[in-house]
Every structure is written in C-alpha cells, then in structure tokens.
Amino acid sequence: MAMDTEESLEAMMAEGREERRKQLYRHKLPEKRTLAGMMAAMTKAELDDIRFNLNVTGASSLKKAELIERLVPAVEEFAARWLPSLLEEEYVCFKDFAEHDGFSRKLGEDDERLDYLRGLGFLSCSKEGDSLVWYMPEEVLAVFSRMNDETYPALVARNTEMARLAAGLLYHYGYMNFEQLYEAVLSYLDEKQRAEISFMDFAGVMLNVSCWKNIVTALPQGVKYYTLIDEEKLENEQLRRSDLDFAKLTYEEVHAAGADTYTPDTPSYRALIAFFMKEHGYDVLKAADVAGEILILLQNGGSLQEAVEYLEELGLMKDEDKAEAIVPVLAAFNNETHLWQLKGHTPAELMEKSGQGRIIPFDQVRKPKVGRNDPCPCGSGKKYKNCCLRKDEQ
C-alpha cells in the first residue's frame, strides 16, 4: 500500500512538472519587451495570478486588455517596494539580466523559484530553439538599474544575513511571531545595523525569503520553520511555558542552522545515524533520512514511543537485540535535542539547570503495555490498577 501511494504521488508530481513545462514553452517573445508586451503574451489565468499576488482589487471582471492596463503601473510600483528586500541569489539573477540587456540564457526550466518572480510580473520566458530564454520587462529592469547604486550590494548582503539568522532561530524555536523574530534577529547585528532596520523592512525580507526559499514559511502573525506541522499548537505550548525564556544561542549556532541544507552535528545525532548504518546496513543518506524523520517527529511533540513505532513500521525493530540496542540511542538523541516545545532548550539542559526538563530513561521507552486487571509488573502480586498504575500515570 505504501509503495502504491509513493508511486501515485510520484506520478502526480511528474504530471505537474510536464504541465508546467508546457506552459513555459508556449510563450512567444513579444516584439516589444515591455510589461504590456509581456502580459499580452500571457494567458488570462497568468494575469490573474499577478493581480492576486499584487493585491490589485476591483479588476477580476476586466477584459484582458483592460486588466493589462491596470497591472502595468501596479508591477512598477510593487517592484520599487519589493527590490529593497532582495536576497543575494535574487540580486545575482537581476544583475545578470541588467548586464545582458534584459535577457538571461543561464536560467533553466527546472528552477521553480522563477515562478515566484513570474507571478509578480518581473520575469517571463519564451522558446528559443529547444531551450528557454528568460527576459525582464524594460520597466522592471529600469527600476532595478536605478536602485543598483554603490550602496545596494551592502543592503542585499544585510537582507541575506537577516534571512539566514531568522532561519537559524526558527530551526531551534520552530515558530516566532514577527515581533519576537525581529527582536531576536536584531540582537545578533551591530548597533549601526539595528538602527537602520525598521520593522517593516524586516517583515518585507521575511515575506520575500518565505517565497524564494523553502526553509521558512511566513504566516499572517509570524514565521515558522518548514517542518513545523501545527504552529498554533506550538505557540500555545510555548505560551504556557511563560516561566521559560527562549534558549540563548550563540551567533555561530544560529548562523550554522540557517543554512538551506543544515543537519545537526551532535554526538547523539551522529550516533543515531551510525547505528542505522552499522546495524541495518543503511548508507549514510538513508540513515540520515530516517534520523531526520525522527527529529521532525520529536520537534512536533511526538513521543519516543511514537519514534519506536515509526521504526517498527520500517521493519527495524524485528530483531530483539537490535530493538533493545536502539532504545538508549533514541533516548540520548531526545534528551540532547533543542526541542521547540521547550523554546529551544534541551531536556538535559533544563534538568541540569532547574529541574524543569524531563530526561527520558531508555528503559521507559518500550515499557510493555499492562492492562488494568493484569498482575502488576513490579511483582507485588496485586492487580496493576491497585498497585503501580497511579504512579506510572503521573
């Protein structure tokens, strides 16, 4: 059943990729590379995407020519507001267009991030032989060229640094509202930078990075790490821990965790991966993938028992000796993980400092389930309900 689901999902993804490819290749290069010319070559559905993304109201019933007339100034105006939030990868992309008269043949068809820029009216493409050529409308190129003075690269570098710090903080905390994240990111910048960055500047960068990258997601009230499933549940859990501040993290910890492909490099994480490689013959990538799934489960409030059940589904708990051996490795991993519900603290850290954490002994992870009327496992001879049940439930 699982294999059928995976094959069905892969087929749907392949179908989506092919449909997207057809859409890209059906465009023609307009005679005039203006916004109006570019939009005339687009479908009404594509124009509606731009209208929606730019929040152009009262235009849903307009005919195509009328809609284009409304969208042209809206794109120019939005470009002037959006370009100050540019990240380094985006800057390199825009700079390449500026250096090649608004064209780029470096960009391929597989980079779906370009759909974000297409959906804002900043880029389009056309078929050139068997490949695509991408182009930028003259008006957007003019806005970028005016903005690209000697101070602009420093602004882009600052935006990129803020984006990485935000991603690193959210890796450890899971979710923060915009105000919390703004204050946390600024605490890692120097005094001059803090004075220059307004809350609205920061929010603009967060919205941009959320669309350009896939590791953080901007929401109406805050920003979350992409593997967080239920931000409302987590926020409520964090609010209940009003006695606990967010964990203090060094710049190096936050900056490292903000990388697009970051994985933790802790002894317990390495030990977990090494176990899957040694005991189950996994290669390093497969072992890291399983360990990553366990991390996601724990960060989203899952228990170690649920982690064990996940491994059982993978068939990794059939051998009794290996099943017993993995339990202390899992427990150590849990106890040394910066958990979101603990505001980035580890259970071991909280237990050591204030007794607020709960280190899970490995012998409790696979405690057998005992019925209320079964003999108590402690050996007292009494029924479980009349002996240790109440203590175990506490």
Side-chain angles (χ1 to χ4, degrees), residues 160-179:
T160 306
E161 173 76 349
M162 285 197 299
R164 177 152 182 169
L165 291 172
L169 287 163
L170 293 169
Y171 175 86
H172 287 96
Y173 302 151
Y175 172 86
M176 298 183 90
N177 65 44
F178 278 104
E179 291 79 7

Side-chain angles (χ1 to χ4, degrees), residues 47 62-70:
L47 295 179
L62 295 179
K63 294 181 179 179
K64 183 175 179 179
E66 297 171 325
L67 180 57
I68 290 173
E69 189 175 347
R70 284 284 302 277

Side-chain angles (χ1 to χ4, degrees), residues 171 214-215 224-230 296 299-300 340:
Y171 175 86
N214 62 0
I215 58 175
K224 73 172 185 175
Y225 201 68
Y226 77 105
T227 53
L228 173 60
I229 296 173
D230 190 340
I296 292 172
Q299 290 289 32
N300 282 281
W340 293 340

